[in-house]
Amino acid sequence: MQDIRRNKLMLLVIIGLIALLPILAFLQYHWIGQLSDNEVERLRSNMQTSAELFSEAVNQELSPAQFAFRVSFTGSLEQISRELSLNYQYWSSRVARPDLIEQIYWVDYDDNQELCLYRFEPADGKLEMEPWPAHLTGWKAYFIERNQRQIEAYNPQSAPDTLSDDEFAYRSAKLMAETPAIPIPVSIDDELSSPELLANLNATSSGRAGHTLLTLNKAFLAETFFPELQDEFFNVADDVDLMIISASDPPNILYQSDSTLQLEQFDTPDAEASVGRLRWNRFPSASRLAFGYASLIERDQMVADSLFGQVSRAWQPAIRDSFVVESPELYTDFPLQAIIRLAQEDDYKGDLTAEDLLVALTNLTQTASATPSASTPATSTASRTTINPSPANAWLLRLRHKTGSLEASVAANRWRNLGLSFGILLILGFAIVVIYISTRKAQWLADRQMGFVTGVSHELRTPLSVIKSAADNLADGVVSEPDRMQKYGHLIRKEATRLTDMVEQILELAGVLSPDKTFKRESMLVPDLVHNALDACKESIETKNFEVDLSVADHLPPVEGDKRSLHAALCNLIHNAIKYSNGNRWLGVYTAVHKNGKGSEIQVSVSDKGIGIPQDDLPHIFEDFFRGPAVRAAQIKGNGIGLSIVKKTMEAHNGRVSVMSRPAGGTTFTLHLPLK
């Protein structure tokens, strides 16, 4: 009863553990999903941060050149040459990658209003005029278009139609991908005299302003500059694909980390950053008022100089260019700030006058004095809304994970983790089932072993009791007649033989189960094996008056095996046929050659017409220590190891043993010995 309760408790524990596994699986799926989502956001944030650092590193290389090579507008090539020489010396001594700039040009109009190109030679500090090379024809069109736009900004009524701001920006960005270069407009120096300032303003308003053009070394960008930066900020070999494209529509590819990458693969990048901060010099309509300021200088030099001094004291300019609308990080110099502020007044109408400008400058100065930091101009929200700034970056950096996207990479890891986790849970569940089965089997085996010990003890007790009783009678002289003494001797020999057979059977089982057991392979004839087994069982056959029906096929081929083991197995079947005959004294032994799917085999069958085997017991008769309930109820002597030895012996010979039986209808065991 206690064993039953213990078994029920163990079964309930096993069921509870197995029922817990799906709950753990669901929780793992949910938790790993949350971790995966967080991992995607973390990786995207890291990738975006790296992209922005990459962008900033590029900007730090390009920005010095954009400001170092500014030239004050003058009409003298000698003055421009001197400024470029000084600028080049200053710039080259302070940058780490001077190879970024391939060539320095000066772009200006001649007296015939033709756009001319001058190449600057740093070695001798001179400007040499040369024809426009083929790879710069796009930039020539850019300058022509830019100057047309400048004329339109000052004279919108008379200027011809030009491209829209967006079209011009996209064309410029595409041009930067095809022939990377930095266009730098003239700088209006605050140290210029009023007449020179007026000349610069007049040249600008008429679309004749000059430019410095720095062409970038495209091979250096693609082969050295971008690869060095990508190795610094990204793990391109394992994790990231990157592409740098123009900020145009459609975009052009400037650089890619792998030559096999396609533009459409970056339609939905994992991270993106603007690269190459440049100034495209888009002109607002308020810029045309600068022409009015030039007129103010012409009409009243004293007033103009006074205003210039006031604003210079109130504002510390960050950039010396009055005709460029800056991005929020950069601010324009005097006088455009005041003019733009004036242009945004709702009640302003008509031409610019000195009084209008004075009012605007007064308001501007008051705003500056109320600002905590006077060195940083505070452009109003209305000003930033009204001015339509151009794209500040020529290129776009796009990143994606090598698997196609961060989601795909994390999803793959997620499924691997889920597979591993579920695999562990399945192994755990399988282990629980195996442990339960092993425990039940161990308990069943322990019960069988206990039954075996009980059965063997009973089997040993009977012959030992008989031997002891006969020996006592002989020793005490109870038996003195020769005939009776001989009868006692036969009885002792019979019981001793029974004990010997029982011990041999147990030793045979131990040998078969031992991993060190070896079978001696030798050729033998099946008829000899059958006759030798019948001779060994002759005494039992004759004592119980059994009729033997023997049929041995002619010309049976020899088989290979261990003679002793096969002899013991056949004898075991013969003894069982005799033991379970139930008084029907008939024994059949047959041999035959049979072909199956694996080849030919010799079959040796032992039949009886005894009690048979119940159908419920047939699957278990070859198990160690098994004895069916009907056998135990009939009190037939045995220990349940004979058939187990037969089965293991046949398996060791690559054969098998089969059985056919029906209750009260006899049993037939067949040994299947394979041929070569």
Side-chain angles (χ1 to χ4, degrees):
M1 183 64 69
Q2 186 176 1
D3 290 341
I4 294 175
R5 284 198 299 269
R6 185 172 64 249
N7 291 337
K8 286 185 177 180
L9 180 61
M10 180 180 294
L11 183 60
L12 289 175
V13 171
I14 296 297
I15 293 174
L17 290 175
I18 293 177
L20 185 62
L21 292 180
I23 299 175
L24 292 176
F26 172 78
L27 292 176
Q28 276 192 323
Y29 179 83
H30 180 67
W31 292 335
I32 291 178
Q34 287 184 328
L35 291 175
S36 298
D37 294 340
N38 294 336
E39 181 69 5
V40 168
E41 293 304 317
R42 184 187 68 81
L43 292 175
R44 179 173 283 110
S45 176
N46 291 343
M47 191 177 290
Q48 184 63 40
T49 300
S50 298
E52 292 171 357
L53 291 175
F54 181 97
S55 173
E56 188 59 32
V58 174
N59 294 336
Q60 287 177 359
E61 294 288 341
L62 297 180
S63 295
Q66 295 182 65
F67 302 114
F69 283 94
R70 290 182 175 276
V71 175
S72 297
F73 186 88
T74 66
S76 170
L77 289 179
E78 289 75 11
Q79 288 179 318
I80 296 172
S81 298
R82 282 197 302 272
E83 288 200 52
L84 287 177
S85 295
L86 292 174
N87 292 343
Y88 181 79
Q89 293 174 15
Y90 174 84
W91 173 80
S92 60
S93 64
R94 285 167 172 77
V95 296
R97 296 182 175 93
D99 292 336
L100 269 176
I101 295 181
E102 183 177 45
Q103 189 62 58
I104 303 171
Y105 293 99
W106 173 253
V107 180
D108 202 354
Y109 283 87
D110 61 11
D111 294 337
N112 298 321
Q113 300 300 307
E114 293 291 335
L115 193 64
C116 301
L117 182 69
Y118 299 88
R119 181 167 50 85
F120 175 71
E121 292 294 343
D124 54 17
K126 292 183 179 180
L127 286 170
E128 298 291 340
M129 185 176 180
E130 66 176 33
W132 284 88
H135 69 283
L136 292 182
T137 55
W139 282 108
K140 181 179 181 181
Y142 164 82
F143 288 119
I144 293 174
E145 174 66 24
R146 182 196 183 281
N147 288 332
Q148 290 294 328
R149 295 171 65 80
Q150 188 166 311
I151 293 173
E152 181 182 1
Y154 283 94
N155 305 283
Q157 303 300 325
S158 59
D161 293 336
T162 57
L163 296 174
S164 68
D165 288 346
D166 289 338
E167 290 173 335
F168 181 66
Y170 287 142
R171 176 178 290 184
S172 304
K174 187 174 182 181
L175 185 59
M176 280 295 296
E178 296 171 348
T179 311
I182 302 175
I184 305 174
V186 295
S187 172
I188 296 186
D189 199 329
D190 54 9
E191 296 180 0
L192 290 176
S193 63
S194 298
E196 290 174 327
L197 178 60
L198 178 61
N200 286 351
L201 289 170
N202 285 331
T204 302
S205 64
S206 62
R208 292 185 291 104
H211 283 76
T212 306
L213 180 64
L214 308 177
T215 58
L216 302 181
N217 191 329
K218 194 172 182 179
F220 182 79
L221 285 174
E223 298 172 7
T224 304
F225 182 52
F226 289 142
E228 286 179 356
L229 292 183
Q230 83 174 12
D231 292 341
E232 180 179 351
F233 294 104
F234 308 111
N235 186 359
V236 175
D238 300 326
D239 298 331
V240 178
D241 289 329
L242 68 86
M243 181 177 288
I244 299 176
I245 62 176
S246 62
S248 59
D249 187 15
N252 283 2
I253 298 175
L254 185 72
Y255 173 77
Q256 57 197 97
S257 59
D258 189 337
S259 59
T260 61
L261 296 174
Q262 301 296 322
L263 188 61
E264 55 269 15
Q265 293 176 296
F266 290 83
D267 288 342
T268 55
D270 293 317
E272 184 177 45
S274 298
V275 179
R277 186 164 54 219
L278 300 170
R279 302 173 65 188
W280 291 116
N281 307 321
R282 194 182 279 179
F283 299 98
S285 60
S287 296
R288 63 185 290 271
L289 299 179
F291 188 72
Y293 178 70
S295 301
L296 174 63
I297 295 176
E298 199 169 26
R299 294 196 305 271
D300 194 335
Q301 180 69 51
M302 184 179 295
V303 173
D305 290 343
S306 174
L307 294 176
F308 194 94
Q310 290 181 44
V311 177
S312 296
R313 288 191 297 273
W315 295 86
Q316 300 297 323
I319 293 300
R320 301 177 302 165
D321 184 358
S322 300
F323 302 104
V324 179
V325 178
E326 296 293 340
S327 59
E329 299 91 344
L330 305 173
Y331 294 89
T332 57
D333 191 3
F334 171 82
L336 189 55
Q337 286 279 359
I339 296 171
I340 292 174
R341 178 69 175 268
L342 176 64
Q344 291 168 351
E345 297 293 336
D346 294 336
D347 57 352
Y348 172 71
K349 304 293 181 184
D351 295 330
L352 177 65
T353 65
E355 290 75 16
D356 295 328
L357 190 57
L358 279 171
V359 172
L361 286 174
T362 302
N363 294 337
L364 189 65
T365 305
Q366 291 174 353
T367 304
S369 62
T371 305
S373 176
S375 62
T376 304
T379 305
S380 65
T381 304
S383 173
R384 293 185 181 179
T385 304
T386 304
I387 301 173
N388 184 21
S390 64
N393 299 272
W395 308 319
L396 292 176
L397 168 67
R398 289 183 175 176
L399 304 174
R400 68 158 203 164
H401 198 273
K402 280 192 176 294
T403 57
S405 67
L406 285 175
E407 287 79 3
S409 174
V410 174
N413 290 331
R414 175 184 182 182
W415 286 114
R416 282 195 295 269
N417 293 335
L418 283 174
L420 180 62
S421 301
F422 287 169
I424 293 174
L425 290 178
L426 288 175
I427 292 174
L428 181 60
F430 179 75
I432 292 173
V433 174
V434 169
I435 291 173
Y436 176 74
I437 294 174
S438 300
T439 303
R440 294 289 297 163
K441 187 173 183 179
Q443 185 177 358
W444 173 85
L445 187 60
D447 293 341
R448 290 294 174 83
Q449 288 176 333
M450 184 59 66
F452 166 74
V453 171
T454 303
V456 168
S457 300
H458 180 74
E459 291 292 323
L460 290 174
R461 183 182 300 157
T462 300
L464 286 175
S465 299
V466 172
I467 291 172
K468 182 177 183 303
S469 177
D472 289 342
N473 288 339
L474 290 174
D476 295 340
V478 175
V479 178
S480 58
E481 296 84 356
D483 292 341
R484 293 189 64 188
M485 291 179 65
Q486 185 178 15
K487 183 177 179 181
Y488 270 73
H490 284 298
L491 179 63
I492 292 173
R493 183 171 63 185
K494 174 184 175 183
E495 296 300 326
T497 301
R498 181 178 171 187
L499 282 174
T500 301
D501 291 341
M502 192 180 305
V503 172
E504 287 293 332
Q505 208 172 35
I506 295 172
L507 292 176
E508 185 71 24
L509 176 63
V512 171
L513 294 176
S514 173
D516 300 328
K517 172 70 175 180
T518 57
F519 291 90
K520 182 180 179 182
R521 301 281 180 171
E522 56 183 320
S523 180
M524 68 183 77
L525 296 175
V526 174
D528 294 343
L529 178 66
V530 172
H531 290 301
N532 291 337
L534 289 173
D535 289 342
C537 301
K538 183 177 181 180
E539 182 177 354
S540 297
I541 294 173
E542 291 179 350
T543 301
K544 296 188 178 181
N545 297 319
F546 263 75
E547 174 189 352
V548 178
D549 184 5
L550 177 63
S551 176
V552 179
D554 297 331
H555 309 297
L556 290 176
V559 297
E560 282 193 356
D562 188 279
K563 287 184 179 180
R564 181 179 175 279
S565 298
L566 292 176
H567 174 82
L570 188 55
C571 288
N572 209 316
L573 295 179
I574 294 173
H575 280 301
N576 279 353
I578 295 172
K579 184 189 300 184
Y580 297 103
S581 63
N582 196 27
N584 194 324
R585 304 180 187 280
W586 179 89
L587 174 67
V589 181
Y590 312 105
T591 64
V593 178
H594 179 73
K595 289 186 177 181
N596 56 26
K598 296 181 180 180
S600 299
E601 63 182 14
I602 294 180
Q603 297 179 350
V604 180
S605 301
V606 177
S607 300
D608 65 65
K609 296 181 179 179
I611 61 175
I613 303 173
Q615 293 297 315
D616 293 341
D617 292 347
L618 279 176
H620 307 289
I621 59 174
F622 295 107
E623 296 174 358
D624 298 339
F625 317 122
F626 178 81
R627 302 194 74 218
V631 174
R632 292 197 300 270
Q635 296 185 348
I636 299 175
K637 297 179 180 180
N639 48 40
I641 61 175
L643 291 179
S644 175
I645 294 175
V646 172
K647 180 177 182 291
K648 291 178 173 60
T649 299
M650 294 307 300
E651 289 175 348
H653 287 79
N654 298 322
R656 63 189 179 92
V657 57
S658 61
V659 59
M660 291 187 301
S661 181
R662 63 181 187 275
T667 303
T668 298
F669 286 93
T670 301
L671 303 180
H672 300 261
L673 297 170
L675 295 173
K676 288 184 178 179

